[in-house]
Amino acid sequence: MIGRRRSGDDGAPPRPGSLASAVAPGTVEVTPRWLRVGDGFATTLVVTGYPAEVGPAWLEPLLSWPGRLDLALHIEPLPVPIAASRLRAQRARLESSRRADSERGKLADPYVDAAADDAGDLAERLARGAAKLFRVGLYLTVHARTEDELLQACAQVRAAAASTLLEVQPATWRQLAGWTTTLPLACDGLRMLRTMDTQALAAAFPLSSPDLPAPLPGDPPATGGVLYGVNPASNGIVWWDRWTQENHNSIVLARSGAGKSYFVKLEILRNLYQGVQVAVVDPEDEYLRLADAVGGSIVRLGLPGVKINPLDLPVGDRRPDTLTRRALFLHTLISVLLGHQPPPAERAALDRAILAVYRAAGITADSATHHRPAPLLRDLAATLRADDDPAAATLAARLAPWVQGSFADLFDAPTTQDPVGHLVVWSLRHLPDELRTVGTLLALDSIWRTVDAPQRPSRRRLVVVDEAWLLMRDGEGARFLFRMSKAARKRNAGLTVITQDAADVLGTDLGQAVVSNASTQVLLRQAPQAIDAVGEAFGLTDGERRLLLAARRGQGLLISGVSRTSFESISSDAEHALCTTDPAELADLDDEVDNL
């Protein structure tokens, strides 16, 4: 034993009530190879050897080691003049060595050649300002309960370091300085530094998960993605970029209260940081706080004065088939209003009436006429009543509740809303239950017209459909959602489908098609009654099924093809305040605002 020190100033006990008395260990016993801190043991290892090349997240094997390990990375920028001078001297030594070998007739040393080439490349990038140099110290403090466990833990850490070609050595005779170096004090007491460039240093940050596939050699460097959370098993960071997958769609499936809307709001917020435009169909007003905070637009369907005319033509769309596509959507809308597809005679009458009502308004296939005021749903019903075909009169009578009855308020005037902005939330909270499915379809139609508009800049757009079972339970609505999921990628858009009803999604062919067209699949806590259907649809193992049955709020699985990892959503305090829907927390937040 080298010595025993009491925590405090000059070995004296800490003053009562001071920070040291609250957080400092009672004793620190120092030996050449380890410390005894309180009732545990610790030893510090220094990284002394590095590989010639490193890939993304090359520190991940150490950060995901399951034991207690404190990793400290001390970074000091090296001024450019000093860096250039040292690099010039290093290149001179390497060139001198190569020249001496050549003059003596010796074979060239491949290690010297590689080092000289790397130094030349680095000097070129440094001169262009494409890289900077840093002095970096990497230290590891391993903790254990006993000395024997400490030896075993050190052997495991050495093996983890060796897997990435890192060489570590113990800080013999300097254990106290090593321990304090790995404390959050920003003080390097060992000063065993290595020079790194910007690229190698940036790759050290753990912006990936060990359970997700690493980039293949030759792939372009990853520049996007958002934080999904942390892996509870390995403590690794789960960082995912949906925009680099085969398609940009995702599905979030979970039981009520599992945290699916919370997770999606976090993803929306983090995509907004990157300039993605987002549109949300919100049945329960869960996204209004987020929209208010980021300056988004809110369309409250069902409130007095808020009208949507489904016969509106897309503004600025001069494609020759614009009127035809609007007629096809009206067929889908009428099917959703009636709850099923009309019989053939009524569909034929409807098609005649659609073309006739547009002609009566002066609108034809000529795009020059598309700026004229569009007819209303009541005009379409009047055209049906004027048709001599009995099927047309029958269809007009069936549309009466939506034209002049209890459900007419939403359609009885021209459109009053022009939703624009980086975040648009379509609120359905004020619609009666009988209109929720129709409201969802109208919101998606308006969103899709924005996404599908020609000659727009290729800005990424994210379309979020919360409680998608409202639309999935209707055959025509499900087909509309399926067409969106198929066509979104070609328009640089991604569709996020959120639902708590696994039966409505997985119990139909269209629902399964929507799932299969989502490259990013997120499963949170599942109900026991649904776990068999979910497990079969997503190919879950028994362990994954147990994980989803016992998962806490915000915990789940991220699945993409054959790759999958568990994760737990994490958020900052500011993000949590915008994303939580807990009534008690919302009441506390409102009280804080009132007290300001």
Side-chain angles (χ1 to χ4, degrees), residues 16-291:
S18 66
L19 178 62
S21 65
V23 301
T27 60
V28 177
E29 182 179 339
V30 184
T31 74
R33 294 186 176 274
W34 49 259
L35 298 176
R36 186 169 183 176
V37 183
D39 59 351
F41 292 79
T43 188
T44 299
L45 305 175
V46 181
V47 178
T48 58
Y50 295 82
E53 295 183 1
V54 294
W58 54 275
L59 285 181
E60 189 61 41
L62 294 173
L63 294 172
S64 60
W65 183 68
R68 182 184 172 189
L69 175 68
D70 298 333
L71 186 148
L73 190 65
H74 291 264
I75 305 170
E76 299 177 3
L78 200 59
V80 174
I82 297 177
S85 174
R86 292 183 180 180
L87 193 56
R88 191 161 47 246
Q90 179 68 10
R91 293 182 64 193
R93 285 194 294 270
L94 292 171
E95 291 295 340
S96 175
S97 178
R98 286 207 296 189
R99 233 175 250 174
D101 289 341
S102 176
E103 291 174 356
R104 295 170 186 170
K106 294 183 178 180
L107 292 176
D109 188 338
Y111 294 101
V112 174
D113 290 343
D117 293 340
D118 290 343
D121 177 66
L122 181 57
E124 183 179 352
R125 289 190 288 121
L126 194 65
R128 293 199 311 265
K132 293 184 178 180
L133 294 185
F134 300 85
R135 296 283 286 166
V136 178
L138 182 56
Y139 313 103
L140 318 168
T141 295
V142 186
H143 297 265
R145 292 189 174 274
T146 66
E147 190 174 351
D148 291 338
E149 291 180 4
L150 184 64
L151 293 175
Q152 296 176 2
C154 287
Q156 295 173 7
V157 171
R158 285 175 179 271
S163 67
T164 55
L165 302 180
L166 293 175
E167 182 181 347
V168 297
Q169 298 294 338
T172 308
W173 297 99
R174 304 183 66 186
Q175 289 296 328
L176 184 61
W179 175 56
T180 57
T181 297
T182 56
L183 293 176
L185 303 176
C187 178
D188 186 354
L190 295 178
R191 304 293 300 171
M192 301 183 69
L193 305 176
R194 171 72 176 263
T195 302
M196 290 189 187
D197 65 343
T198 309
Q199 185 176 357
L201 185 58
F205 287 85
L207 303 182
S208 69
S209 167
D211 304 297
L212 294 175
L216 296 175
D219 285 354
T223 57
V226 298
L227 174 66
Y228 270 33
V230 296
N231 188 323
S234 65
N235 293 324
I237 291 176
V238 180
W239 189 273
W240 187 249
D241 189 357
R242 64 187 295 165
W243 304 102
T244 60
Q245 308 308 309
E246 295 177 352
N247 61 65
H248 312 322
N249 303 330
S250 70
I251 182 167
V252 182
L253 188 61
R255 66 183 301 178
S256 178
K260 55 186 183 297
S261 296
Y262 187 97
F263 163 76
V264 172
K265 279 181 275 191
L266 285 175
E267 185 183 21
I268 289 174
L269 189 59
R270 292 163 184 172
N271 272 282
L272 287 173
Y273 297 154
Q274 301 181 10
V276 178
Q277 286 187 338
V278 184
V280 182
V281 180
D282 180 12
E284 297 296 337
D285 283 0
E286 293 185 274
Y287 297 80
L288 302 190
R289 182 184 293 269
L290 176 61

Side-chain angles (χ1 to χ4, degrees), residues 389-412:
D389 190 343
T394 301
L395 182 58
R398 297 173 66 188
L399 289 177
W402 313 95
V403 175
Q404 56 193 14
S406 304
F407 305 142
D409 288 344
L410 188 60
F411 312 102
D412 59 0

